[in-house]
């Protein structure tokens, strides 16, 4: 996929974009973005893990489907469809998918590492 084609797009059909298989029951779809904002769909099979990590970006994640045990720093909580978590810059965070699900992640600024 040519990510330059997604920069600054304003109207996009989900079917126009492909899933990137990350392995371990996780796949993601990078949606349109600019330098300041990026939306990414992340699909998880049951028991898939979003490994504990941190990054300088601000991240807001909406649980669009399923159930996740979310670790944020030293805190853990189960979040379900309709719930949200916020990952401040450089705070370690990760998820374990308890019921097949979908996260909608929003980053500021965009994740350059997702475009390689």
């Amino acid at each position: 996929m040519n990510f330059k084609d997604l920069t600054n797009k304003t109207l996009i059909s989900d079917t126009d974009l492909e899933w990137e298989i990350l392995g371990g029951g996780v796949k993601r779809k990078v949606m349109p973005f600019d330098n300041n904002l990026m939306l990414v769909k992340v699909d998880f099979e049951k028991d898939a893990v979003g490994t504990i990590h941190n990054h300088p970006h601000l991240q807001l994640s909406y649980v669009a489907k399923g159930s996740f045990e979310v670790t944020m720093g030293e805190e853990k909580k189960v979040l379900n469809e309709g719930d949200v978590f916020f990952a401040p810059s450089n705070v370690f965070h990760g998820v374990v998918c308890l019921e097949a699900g979908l996260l909608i992640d929003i980053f500021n600024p965009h994740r350059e590492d997702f475009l390689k």
Side-chain angles (χ1 to χ4, degrees):
M1 177 183 306
N2 183 351
F3 288 107
K4 288 184 179 184
D5 293 342
L6 295 176
T7 305
N8 297 314
K9 292 271 186 169
T10 56
L11 301 171
I12 291 288
S13 294
D14 183 69
T15 56
D16 291 341
L17 305 173
E18 298 174 18
W19 288 101
E20 176 185 2
I21 306 302
L22 302 177
V26 181
K27 61 184 178 180
R28 75 175 165 218
K29 187 181 285 196
V30 174
M31 305 303 283
F33 61 91
D34 68 9
N35 289 334
N36 298 309
L37 199 61
M38 175 184 270
L39 188 140
V40 179
K41 293 181 178 184
V42 188
D43 186 83
F44 291 81
E45 294 175 6
K46 184 181 184 311
D47 299 323
V49 175
T51 307
I52 300 286
H53 65 286
N54 72 339
H55 44 73
H57 313 81
L58 296 175
Q59 177 180 342
L60 204 76
S61 294
Y62 173 75
V63 180
K65 182 173 69 172
S67 180
F68 295 84
E69 179 184 73
V70 179
T71 300
M72 187 66 58
E74 300 297 319
E75 186 179 353
K76 283 187 182 186
K77 185 172 184 174
V78 173
L79 296 179
N80 300 295
E81 187 173 326
D83 295 338
V84 175
F85 66 88
F86 173 68
S89 295
N90 298 312
V91 171
F92 283 92
H93 59 282
V95 300
V96 175
C97 186
L98 304 176
E99 175 187 320
L102 179 72
L103 295 178
I104 306 298
D105 293 339
I106 301 169
F107 296 98
N108 173 267
H110 79 276
R111 295 285 304 260
E112 186 72 33
D113 56 319
F114 283 9
L115 306 178
K116 297 177 181 181

